[in-house]
Amino acid sequence: MLSVRELTKTFGAPPDRLVAVDRVSLDVNDGEFFTMLGPSGCGKTTTLRMIAGLEQATSGSIMFDGQDYTRVPPQRRNIGMVFQSYALFPHLSVFENVAYGLRPRGVAREEIASRTDEVLRALQLDRYRDRLPATLSGGQQQRVSIARALVYRPSMLLLDEPLANLDAKLRVQMREEIRRIQREFGILSLYVTHDQEEAMAISDRLALFNAGRLVQLGRPRDVYRHPASLFAAEFIGRANLLRAKVLDRAAGAAKVMLPGGGMVAVPRVVALGDAETARVPPDADALLMARPESMKLGPIEGRMPGRILRAQDLGGTNRYIIAAEAALGELTVEAARSAPEYGEGASVGLALNAEECVLFIRPDPR
Amino acid sequence: MTDRRMPGQALPLVLGTCAVVIALLFLVYPIGSATLGAFLRNGKPLAIENLTLANFERFLTSGSYQRAFWHSVVTGAASTIVATALSLPMAYAVARAAMPLRSLVLALSVLPLISPPFIGAYAWVILLGNNGIISNLLRDYVGLGLPSIYGPFGVTVALALSYFPYTFLVLQGAMAAVDTSIEEAATIAGASRWRVLRTVTFPMILPSIAAGMLIVFIKAIGDFGVPAILGGEYQVLPTLIYYQIHGFFNLNAAAAIAMVNVALTVLALGALAWINRTRGVATVTGTARRAARPLPAGLRWSAIAYVWLVLLVANLPQLVVVLYSFSERWGDTLLPSVYGLENYRRVMGELGTVVWNTVVLAGAATILCLAFGAVAAHATARGRIYGRWAVDLIIMVPFVLPGLVIGVAYLTAFNEGPLVLTGTAAILILAYFTRRVAFVFRSASAAITQVDRRLEEASTICGADWAMTMRRVVLPLIAPALLAGGILVFATLIGEISVTVLLYSARWKTITIAIYEYLLGNDIAKASALGTVTIVLTLILVAGASRLAGRNMADMFR
Ligand SMILES: Nc1ncnc2c1ncn2[C@@H]1O[C@H](COP(=O)(O)OP(=O)(O)O)[C@@H](O)[C@H]1O
Ligand SMILES: [Mg+2]
């Protein structure tokens, strides 16, 4: 098990000191696929590099299976790492690239060959054994770099945006493959990405980062359904925000009034952090967050009125971009094919499934 | 990437420490020692009461000192002007005239740089000396007497022809980089070709002209071989230093002259740095551009003819030396009347020894340059090095200083005191290293910045220690650059004379010293044979290096 405690990294001297990673703590279990997700520049790579030992932590600790890794040099951590740029050795053949990590481990010559070939086969690379990396496609290079990281049976696998250089279709294909290989090897994996869809699709659990801090940690679906902040709500999936006035509040739940939309009982209430409080407009005291699939379109009577700005056919579903008086910005609603369809410019009534919504309120003034 | 040092990595620390010690001992200390020596009474130890300005006073009182100073300035300036005048039209022609055999032209243009300048100098004696081939022809058939080749005229011509490639390369690069659409705009606005040249092109390359001129000036005022052979009674600062040491062994006086020589160099360098900082405003845009408007055929062919004429004249000295070495009689005719290998037979006895000495000294210095240059380049490119500029300065300063100055610095530093090296091979090897390590450092630095540092990280993550990462990843990737830099060091050391002449000892006579001695003894035939060996050896090596680096020979000197 990997345990990271209060890990901090600062760059530069005081006048323009930058806290790239700010007291991050997390645990990753054996065999788990764990993702660090966040916008670019939020400190994911720096965290990963500290775990790898490529960057020295300013403070905090990194433990693996009860052993303190914080000051262990990278070459003795027994880690596998996959870089965004692949970082394959351009002058070495595929075989030599993959076998690279076996040599410093004093593996006998015959065993180097057999183990390398075994991993090459597992990644369907045996045909390219003697080629130079530059002669391979992006996806193949990526597989070589995974093979190189796995061949010496590391205790964990670190991947820093490994799919960023691939085109969209290959990206989806490769992420499934990475997941398959990870399961096959049963290896604790730490994956970094800024792509929330990718993170949702392959992670057992994910940690959401913002500005150097770990802001939320959990299973993808839990973070999606129960975002702990506006940032989390908006970064993971689409978030529709509606102005709300709180009528009544009891432990963990609230009854709110929506402009032109009547009363709703929301089972989940989250207090906003200081930075996000300003997002609540003056004429409201809370924001109601509804996912696109938690909203329904229907006749106007008795519902919140809205107007269709754009209708997008996504194949399986229809997506509507809607303007509504109650909304902060535009709303996105997804409706099944079977539901009635609306054209652009049409007026519609909006309903929501309050069970699936989250209410963000201003913190109690105290 | 500030924190790269990890516990348990002794080797890089050991190597780094070695590099620092070597740098302090052999790059910093000699120059410091010479600087101090310039302010000490001759032969007196370092002490407050021995400090003096007496060594400099001679520049105010002694006629020979003042003359040497002004001679340096005059021949330096004159050869700079001649070199620029030669290369300006040539650069324009090569950049704009759609030169046939362009890469051959570029390669030929650096030949004068590759063959040691002093070898070219005595070719002028062969051609234009009192009993020279051309002098005799002119006297016998035209009845014309030439001015003596010995003195300012010869020195200026030989220096200009030896160093004009620097101005040419700088200017040619600048002209090729000028955005031709600016010229087109001027043409469309109705300007004639000449007017465009004068009002648009020329102002844009003006900073490059100045920069090229300063390089030639620095080289010319530091050159020893040419004035030593063609100067005669006409002394310049480097020859004055030489005679102070060989005549009187007055190291302190020599150090003072060296300081004056350095001051001139630094002045020019300062100007160069200033121009480099402020230039580039208008010249280069970096985008791919179309060829310039072609010159009309007549103009184009005159340009081509001009370029080949300059190339011929500039390479004539080398040609003459080679020809002379194979001639057994060369009297009043344009070409030798009898060819043969007699000259080579006559130097055979000595040839083996001096070539061997040269190879050993230059080879050892090259290995030192490679080891130190690679470590220093890697450390500055990757490590947490405070004051990267200091490393740059320490390596580049000895590179630009005149060879004689480095020679004096080494004599003052290692003639007595804790570390005595005079008379050994080591002093030559180390002085060579001091003068040339910049070649390797620069090419290794450029190569290392091309290597993605993630490769080194990937290697480390795979479990490799520092040594394995270097051996299996970094070194193989920068090997071609290292090799090219190393060959360049070796090649240019074969023809080194200015440091050698102060530091060599009877046991370690090099090929250049042998040539110099033959010349002093007026045995030009033997000198030519050895000179030819030097030229051919150097040329082969430089051509090999440029192949390795995959660049035109001309680009090795840019
Ligand atoms: N070596 C460094 N020196 C200075 N600042 C750095 C360095 N590495 C990263 N940073 C800064 O730290 C912050 C986090 O960077 P990074 O971890 O790369 O973000 P992410 O991977 O999440 O995009 C960024 O603001 C980045 O500019
Ligand atoms: Mg990153």
Side-chain angles (χ1 to χ4, degrees):
Chain A
M1 189 174 87
L2 173 72
S3 295
V4 172
R5 287 290 168 274
E6 298 279 306
L7 199 60
T8 300
K9 178 75 190 181
T10 59
F11 288 111
D16 27 36
R17 172 194 226 99
L18 173 79
V19 185
V21 177
D22 193 2
R23 286 161 293 161
V24 165
S25 298
L26 51 87
D27 288 320
V28 186
N29 299 315
D30 292 336
E32 192 175 22
F33 198 105
F34 189 94
T35 298
M36 298 196 280
L37 172 69
S40 144
C42 70
K44 311 175 297 283
T45 295
T46 307
T47 306
L48 197 76
R49 288 171 59 82
M50 283 192 283
I51 293 170
L54 294 172
E55 208 84 62
Q56 196 125 59
T58 307
S59 64
S61 72
I62 301 158
M63 307 279 287
F64 185 80
D65 284 348
Q67 198 198 340
D68 189 355
Y69 263 33
T70 320
R71 308 226 148 249
V72 175
Q75 65 268 32
R76 293 214 222 105
R77 292 190 185 195
N78 196 30
I79 280 174
M81 187 156 174
V82 175
F83 293 82
Q84 177 176 338
S85 56
Y86 316 145
L88 296 178
F89 307 124
H91 58 302
L92 298 181
S93 68
V94 166
F95 178 87
E96 283 300 333
N97 262 283
V98 175
Y100 194 89
L102 292 174
R103 302 195 188 273
R105 288 175 169 77
V107 179
R109 182 188 295 263
E110 310 81 64
E111 200 186 333
I112 288 182
S114 65
R115 274 170 70 174
T116 306
D117 284 332
E118 187 187 328
V119 173
L120 286 177
R121 263 195 307 279
L123 281 117
Q124 292 127 38
L125 286 166
D126 30 351
R127 272 188 301 148
Y128 310 109
R129 193 176 185 275
D130 299 315
R131 297 254 290 260
L132 285 179
T135 66
L136 302 181
S137 71
Q140 288 163 343
Q141 291 186 31
Q142 184 58 271
R143 287 214 295 276
V144 175
S145 100
I146 295 171
R148 181 179 66 184
L150 287 175
V151 71
Y152 46 85
R153 296 170 197 149
S155 44
M156 59 178 134
L157 181 64
L158 310 181
L159 305 103
D160 189 1
E161 312 232 8
L163 306 180
N165 289 352
L166 301 177
D167 59 54
K169 197 153 180 199
L170 198 56
R171 208 147 55 208
V172 174
Q173 201 180 321
M174 268 313 284
R175 81 183 184 209
E176 299 305 328
E177 181 148 349
I178 287 177
R179 187 63 165 134
R180 175 184 69 75
I181 295 164
Q182 187 266 342
R183 286 221 174 88
E184 200 174 303
F185 282 75
I187 186 170
L188 184 165
S189 299
L190 213 54
Y191 186 95
V192 161
T193 181
H194 66 268
D195 182 337
Q196 53 94 13
E197 193 201 321
E198 200 172 291
M200 297 283 288
I202 53 175
S203 319
D204 290 323
R205 284 191 305 149
L206 60 80
L208 183 64
F209 281 66
N210 188 22
R213 298 233 173 134
L214 195 167
V215 292
Q216 195 170 359
L217 193 156
R219 292 187 304 163
R221 59 160 62 187
D222 293 340
V223 179
Y224 180 77
R225 288 187 192 165
H226 308 148
S229 60
L230 264 182
F231 169 78
E234 292 182 313
F235 194 82
I236 297 183
R238 279 170 197 260
N240 294 316
L241 297 177
L242 303 163
R243 320 153 196 263
K245 274 207 152 60
V246 178
L247 297 178
D248 184 19
R249 218 189 130 188
K255 208 176 254 177
V256 294
M257 175 75 108
L258 297 172
M263 244 163 30
V264 194
V266 190
R268 192 165 302 278
V269 178
V270 174
L272 287 169
D274 292 339
E276 292 180 333
T277 316
R279 294 280 304 277
V280 184
D283 61 351
D285 45 26
L287 289 174
L288 185 73
M289 193 282 294
R291 298 294 183 188
E293 67 278 6
S294 305
M295 297 190 78
K296 272 203 182 63
L297 304 183
I300 304 176
E301 301 82 59
R303 299 170 193 243
M304 268 188 304
R307 196 164 50 81
I308 309 268
L309 294 177
R310 292 185 300 279
Q312 298 166 350
D313 190 340
L314 300 186
T317 52
N318 286 319
R319 176 186 288 163
Y320 299 103
I321 311 295
I322 295 165
E325 188 207 344
L328 221 63
E330 292 168 351
L331 300 176
T332 304
V333 176
E334 265 160 38
R337 257 293 155 70
S338 50
E341 297 193 2
Y342 299 90
E344 290 180 5
S347 291
V348 287
L350 295 156
L352 38 84
N353 183 356
E355 282 298 301
E356 295 172 5
C357 294
V358 178
L359 187 71
F360 291 101
I361 61 168
R362 288 206 184 94
D364 295 330
R366 224 169 308 155
Chain B
M1 255 51 62
T2 44
D3 258 318
R4 296 263 319 160
R5 268 190 324 174
M6 290 289 160
Q9 298 212 18
L11 190 58
L13 272 182
V14 170
L15 280 179
T17 313
C18 282
V20 170
V21 170
I22 289 179
L24 291 179
L25 209 52
F26 300 115
L27 296 175
V28 178
Y29 169 59
I31 293 173
S33 163
T35 313
L36 263 180
F39 295 95
L40 282 180
R41 273 174 226 292
N42 188 26
K44 291 284 176 6
L46 176 59
I48 297 285
E49 66 269 19
N50 289 335
L51 288 181
T52 177
L53 285 175
N55 298 317
F56 291 95
E57 267 167 30
R58 298 201 208 169
F59 279 100
L60 300 175
T61 58
S62 155
S64 67
Y65 273 56
Q66 288 173 0
R67 276 197 299 277
F69 176 81
W70 287 115
H71 290 168
S72 270
V73 173
V74 167
T75 52
S79 56
T80 303
I81 290 166
V82 174
T84 312
L86 279 180
S87 40
L88 246 179
M90 185 166 161
Y92 185 78
V94 173
R96 295 295 159 77
M99 278 303 274
L101 306 174
R102 193 167 164 282
S103 51
L104 179 67
V105 167
L106 281 174
L108 284 179
S109 74
V110 290
L111 275 191
L113 275 189
I114 293 168
S115 62
F118 80 101
I119 293 180
Y122 71 79
W124 292 113
V125 177
I126 299 174
L127 288 172
L128 301 172
N130 298 336
N131 198 22
I133 296 155
I134 296 182
S135 318
N136 286 347
L137 286 175
L138 284 180
R139 194 173 46 236
D140 296 351
Y141 296 101
V142 191
L144 197 75
L146 283 177
S148 169
I149 185 75
Y150 296 103
F153 170 68
V155 172
T156 301
V157 168
L159 286 177
L161 286 176
S162 292
Y163 292 125
F164 89 94
Y166 284 117
T167 32
F168 167 68
L169 290 177
V170 169
L171 289 177
Q172 186 261 332
M175 289 202 196
V178 166
D179 189 345
T180 47
S181 61
I182 301 176
E183 294 180 354
E184 279 164 12
T187 311
I188 290 166
S192 69
R193 186 177 288 278
W194 169 242
R195 201 182 158 76
V196 171
L197 192 61
R198 201 165 43 84
T199 60
V200 180
T201 316
F202 192 72
M204 283 201 287
I205 60 162
L206 205 53
S208 303
I209 298 179
M213 289 177 78
L214 286 167
I215 297 174
V216 172
F217 183 75
I218 290 169
K219 288 285 174 186
I221 59 169
D223 195 282
F224 167 75
V226 169
I229 286 158
L230 293 178
E233 299 293 300
Y234 186 87
Q235 290 208 337
V236 293
L237 290 175
T239 48
L240 188 66
I241 294 176
Y242 177 75
Y243 291 118
Q244 274 303 323
I245 288 174
H246 262 235
F248 313 100
F249 208 77
N250 187 339
L251 271 180
N252 302 89
I257 307 166
M259 286 306 124
V260 172
N261 204 339
V262 169
L264 277 180
T265 310
V266 167
L267 222 60
L269 273 179
L272 187 58
W274 181 77
I275 288 169
N276 274 337
R277 199 145 29 83
T278 49
R279 84 164 165 187
V281 195
T283 44
V284 185
T285 55
T287 48
R289 59 181 61 88
R290 286 148 299 135
R293 198 156 62 101
L295 295 176
L299 210 52
R300 174 163 177 254
W301 285 109
S302 342
I304 292 170
Y306 172 79
V307 168
W308 282 98
L309 182 70
V310 174
L311 287 180
L312 179 71
V313 172
N315 285 302
L316 196 59
Q318 284 73 252
L319 269 175
V320 168
V321 169
V322 175
L323 210 56
Y324 203 94
S325 76
F326 290 107
S327 75
E328 285 175 12
R329 181 144 22 92
W330 196 349
D332 297 347
T333 46
L334 189 59
L335 288 175
S337 37
V338 182
Y339 292 94
L341 292 173
E342 179 58 22
N343 298 327
Y344 289 90
R345 263 192 293 280
R346 283 172 58 214
V347 295
M348 228 19 168
E350 200 173 18
L351 184 67
T353 323
V354 293
V355 167
W356 173 248
N357 285 347
T358 306
V359 167
V360 168
L361 295 171
T366 304
I367 291 168
L368 194 56
C369 287
L370 283 174
F372 179 90
V375 169
H378 191 261
T380 45
R382 292 286 197 259
R384 179 167 59 172
I385 291 268
Y386 299 103
R388 208 156 289 204
W389 61 269
V391 177
D392 247 20
L393 194 70
I394 287 172
I395 289 176
M396 294 311 289
V397 162
F399 177 68
V400 289
L401 289 186
L404 258 277
V405 170
I406 301 299
V408 168
Y410 261 70
L411 282 180
T412 56
F414 303 117
N415 196 42
E416 51 194 14
L419 190 57
V420 178
L421 294 174
T422 33
T424 64
I427 197 168
L428 278 169
I429 293 170
L430 289 165
Y432 285 173
F433 156 76
T434 305
R435 286 203 72 195
R436 294 288 193 270
V437 64
F439 276 139
V440 176
F441 177 72
R442 276 179 169 181
S443 69
S445 294
I448 286 170
T449 45
Q450 298 286 307
V451 176
D452 183 357
R453 74 168 72 220
R454 307 266 172 229
L455 293 181
E456 289 169 57
E457 293 179 353
S459 167
T460 309
I461 290 285
C462 281
D465 58 9
W466 188 84
M468 177 173 168
T469 302
M470 287 299 124
R471 200 180 67 243
R472 297 243 8 231
V473 179
V474 179
L475 278 179
L477 290 175
I478 66 168
L482 275 184
L483 210 56
I487 294 178
L488 207 58
V489 168
F490 188 83
T492 55
L493 282 179
I494 293 177
E496 213 293 333
I497 185 159
S498 53
V499 131
T500 318
V501 80
L502 285 189
L503 300 179
Y504 85 98
S505 47
R507 164 70 189 84
W508 288 103
K509 195 156 99 179
T510 64
I511 194 164
T512 47
I513 297 298
I515 296 174
Y516 188 55
E517 286 177 353
Y518 287 143
L519 289 177
L520 292 183
N522 234 337
D523 196 339
I524 293 183
K526 277 179 161 182
S528 305
L530 289 185
T532 303
V533 173
T534 312
I535 292 175
V536 170
L537 221 55
T538 314
L539 187 59
I540 290 174
L541 286 167
V542 173
S546 75
R547 280 211 75 147
L548 256 175
R551 296 189 295 176
N552 188 296
M553 233 149 64
D555 297 325
M556 309 283 295
F557 291 87
R558 272 190 215 271

